[in-house]
Amino acid sequence: MVMVGGEQSTSMELDQCFQMMMMNMEGVSIKEWKDIPVELLMRILSLVDDRNVIAASGVCCGWRDAISLGLTRLRLSWCNNNMNNLVLSLAPKIVKLQTLILRQDKPQLEDNAVEAIANHCHELQELDLSKSLRLTDRTLYALAHGCPNLTKLNLSGCTSFSDKGIAYLTRSCRNLKVLNLCGCVNAVSDYTLEAIGNNCNQMQSLNLGWCEKISDDGVMSLAYGCPDLRTLDLCGCVLITDESVVALADWCVHLRSLGLYYCRNITDRAMYSLAQSGVKNKPGQWKSSAKKNKYDEEGLRSLNISQCTALTPSAVQAVCDTFPALHTCSGRHSLVMSGCLNLTSVHCACILQAHRSVPHSAH
């Protein structure tokens, strides 16, 4: 039996749900677990953790079938041992799954488990395989064939993939909007970014942190092919120069977050290109579009230029002045400049306004 714990309000809500279901079931009595209506069962399972959901699937055939058809989200990161075997046994039973979290603290997953997922979970849209050090390109080929509807994929820390494998994946998974490749040092090259730009035009968030092989050519291909890009992390991509930022400023007018930590080839030219793009795009792009929220209208709202020691205060201040959502004030650091001792004079509008409002004593 699945034990449902929690506050009294949760129990009362479940009781009310049960009573309502029973009111609509005249002449039907519940004598065994298999007699519980599917709607009530799924409501119960929505109140318990994923371990109990898995346990519930073994109560009886009726529960197993109901969970197979009704379960759309599953998180197995709590499994510290035998995750691979668990996934192999569960995959045929969770065919309607849309979100699967398999993040690991220690490597457990192997290619055959992901192949089982790809063979059975064809409606999968979000998948987290981060820190899966044992996975190879076999996993990417399987996902390409079995899960073409993926929109969000986390492969951070997966060091055994190749750039050819990622490129192959993008040709089938063209609906990808969020992709995390942070630390995938062997999987990310200019060839990879060219493939993403050619195949994944809906991409909105891409993490390329510490992928040291990429250069301006790759980032420019990405900028041209993914104009809807909102978030891009290039931290530790030491080969890129101003050319990359200029391309992003020109082509990715929706860019809201940019990480350039330790990109020491970045100079003032990159900052001025961002500032100019803000001025150029603001009247036509933000004001003419349907109102969403103030941050969408203000453009860039997160910028990390830590350790970019070639930048000068005037260039960075120009960016800060152009985008009011960039903050240097305490508690709202969205313009991060750690390690740039020459930029201590750069301040956001909040600090400048606060300084002006402080009454000056008469001399």
Side-chain angles (χ1 to χ4, degrees):
M1 177 179 178
V2 179
M3 299 300 294
V4 181
E7 299 179 355
Q8 186 176 2
S9 59
T10 302
S11 299
M12 292 176 61
E13 184 181 3
L14 191 58
D15 289 339
Q16 291 174 357
C17 179
F18 182 81
Q19 291 172 7
M20 290 178 62
M21 291 297 304
M22 293 305 296
M23 289 174 61
N24 296 323
M25 297 177 58
E26 295 181 3
V28 177
S29 61
I30 297 180
K31 297 181 179 179
E32 301 179 19
W33 291 119
K34 66 182 181 63
D35 297 327
I36 293 181
V38 173
E39 294 87 348
L40 179 57
L41 173 60
M42 298 313 298
R43 176 61 184 148
I44 293 173
L45 296 179
S46 71
L47 299 174
V48 301
D49 61 27
D50 291 322
R51 302 187 196 202
N52 281 325
V53 171
I54 294 172
S57 66
V59 170
C60 63
C61 295
W63 281 34
R64 181 197 62 201
D65 295 341
I67 291 173
S68 174
L69 296 175
L71 190 65
T72 60
R73 190 182 191 283
L74 186 62
R75 178 181 177 275
L76 298 179
S77 300
W78 49 265
C79 183
N80 295 320
N81 295 292
N82 298 318
M83 180 187 285
N84 202 73
N85 290 333
L86 179 61
V87 172
L88 286 170
S89 65
L90 286 177
K93 307 173 187 177
I94 49 177
V95 295
K96 296 296 182 179
L97 208 62
Q98 296 179 11
T99 300
L100 180 59
I101 310 298
L102 297 175
R103 183 181 180 87
Q104 303 148 78
D105 290 327
K106 61 179 181 179
Q108 298 183 66
L109 278 185
E110 299 180 5
D111 290 321
N112 62 342
V114 183
E115 287 171 339
I117 293 169
N119 287 335
H120 297 282
C121 307
H122 302 303
E123 297 181 19
L124 199 63
Q125 297 178 22
E126 300 183 14
L127 178 61
D128 187 342
L129 296 173
S130 52
K131 297 185 179 180
S132 298
L133 301 181
R134 297 181 180 178
L135 298 182
T136 71
D137 284 351
R138 277 177 53 192
T139 280
L140 302 178
Y141 298 145
L143 291 175
H145 290 287
C147 304
N149 297 317
L150 282 172
T151 60
K152 185 175 181 179
L153 180 60
N154 188 346
L155 300 176
S156 61
C158 298
T159 55
S160 298
F161 295 143
S162 72
D163 55 355
K164 292 182 179 179
I166 298 292
Y168 187 91
L169 177 76
T170 65
R171 297 186 194 108
S172 296
C173 300
R174 293 176 175 264
N175 295 322
L176 277 171
K177 294 183 178 180
V178 179
L179 180 59
N180 190 339
L181 297 173
C182 180
C184 298
V185 292
N186 297 318
V188 180
S189 64
D190 290 341
Y191 176 70
T192 309
L193 299 192
E194 182 180 357
I196 293 173
N198 288 336
N199 301 317
C200 303
N201 307 124
Q202 300 180 55
M203 188 67 67
Q204 294 184 3
S205 177
L206 182 60
N207 190 332
L208 302 172
W210 306 105
C211 296
E212 299 177 349
K213 294 181 180 179
I214 63 176
S215 70
D216 291 331
D217 290 339
V219 178
M220 287 190 286
S221 297
L222 179 71
Y224 300 152
C226 302
D228 202 29
L229 203 60
R230 310 297 175 93
T231 300
L232 179 62
D233 193 339
L234 294 170
C235 294
C237 298
V238 294
L239 298 181
I240 68 169
T241 71
D242 294 337
E243 297 299 329
S244 291
V245 180
V246 170
L248 292 168
D250 288 343
W251 293 93
C252 302
V253 297
H254 300 290
L255 195 64
R256 298 294 177 262
S257 177
L258 179 61
L260 297 172
Y261 171 74
Y262 215 82
C263 298
R264 295 193 167 185
N265 294 321
I266 299 298
T267 72
D268 287 354
R269 179 176 172 236
M271 296 298 101
Y272 284 123
S273 69
L274 288 173
Q276 290 169 4
S277 72
V279 173
K280 177 179 66 176
N281 293 321
K282 190 170 184 178
Q285 190 66 36
W286 301 329
K287 289 185 178 180
S288 64
S289 62
K291 281 193 175 182
K292 297 178 181 179
N293 59 59
K294 66 178 181 179
Y295 293 115
D296 283 324
E297 295 175 358
E298 291 172 353
L300 198 65
R301 60 176 183 250
S302 177
L303 177 64
N304 188 341
I305 50 174
S306 298
Q307 301 297 333
C308 296
T309 52
L311 299 176
T312 65
S314 58
V316 178
Q317 189 65 60
V319 176
C320 200
D321 293 342
T322 303
F323 301 106
L326 290 178
H327 293 281
T328 60
C329 49
S330 178
R332 303 179 68 184
H333 287 292
S334 54
L335 175 56
V336 186
M337 303 178 290
S338 302
C340 300
L341 299 180
N342 60 324
L343 299 181
T344 54
S345 62
V346 176
H347 295 296
C348 62
C350 296
I351 291 180
L352 295 176
Q353 185 175 3
H355 178 72
R356 295 191 191 103
S357 65
V358 174
H360 297 279
S361 59
H363 294 282

